[in-house]
Structure formats: C-alpha cells, structure tokens
C-alpha cells in the first residue's frame, strides 16, 4: 500500500472520529452520548497508527528509488 493511501486513511479516521464523537447519537444511532464519545475516541486512536504506517511506506518508497 502506498504512503498516500495510508495518509488518506489517517484523514478519514480523524473525520469519522469527529463525526462519531460529536454527532454519534444522531448519525450512527448510539444509545448515549457517552457511548458515541467512546467510539469516537477509539476510532481517533487509529489515526496515529495510519500516519506511522504512511511514514514507513514513504521511507520504503524513497529507499527503493535510491538503489
């Protein structure tokens, strides 16, 4: 997977996390605001992981073009 795809996943995770955190009871139908916030935080924690995977892919892409 290319680095740009990982970065797009990171941005998507941030977007979905904000939507779940703020509007989770309306958009996703969670029973309580607390549950929506917990899901929003859980999804928001994926963003740094996707960012690190994107950075790793970028480093590997740059190393493969140097050879």
């Amino acid at each position: 997977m290319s680095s740009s795809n990982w970065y797009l996943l990171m941005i998507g995770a941030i977007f979905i996390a904000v939507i779940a955190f703020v509007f989770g009871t309306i958009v996703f139908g969670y029973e309580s605001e607390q549950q929506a916030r917990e899901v929003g935080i859980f999804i928001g924690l994926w963003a740094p992981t996707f960012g690190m995977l994107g950075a790793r892919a970028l480093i590997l892409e740059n190393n493969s073009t140097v050879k």
Side-chain angles (χ1 to χ4, degrees), residues 2-50:
S2 69
S3 61
S4 60
N5 290 340
W6 286 116
Y7 292 137
L8 284 174
L9 280 173
M10 179 181 68
I11 292 168
I14 293 169
F15 180 73
I16 293 171
V18 169
I19 296 297
F21 190 86
V22 178
F23 304 111
T25 55
I26 299 167
V27 176
F28 298 113
Y30 294 118
E31 296 176 6
S32 66
E33 287 185 21
Q34 180 65 31
Q35 184 182 14
R37 289 182 177 152
E38 289 171 355
V39 170
I41 291 170
F42 177 72
I43 295 171
L45 290 174
W46 297 351
T49 303
F50 293 147

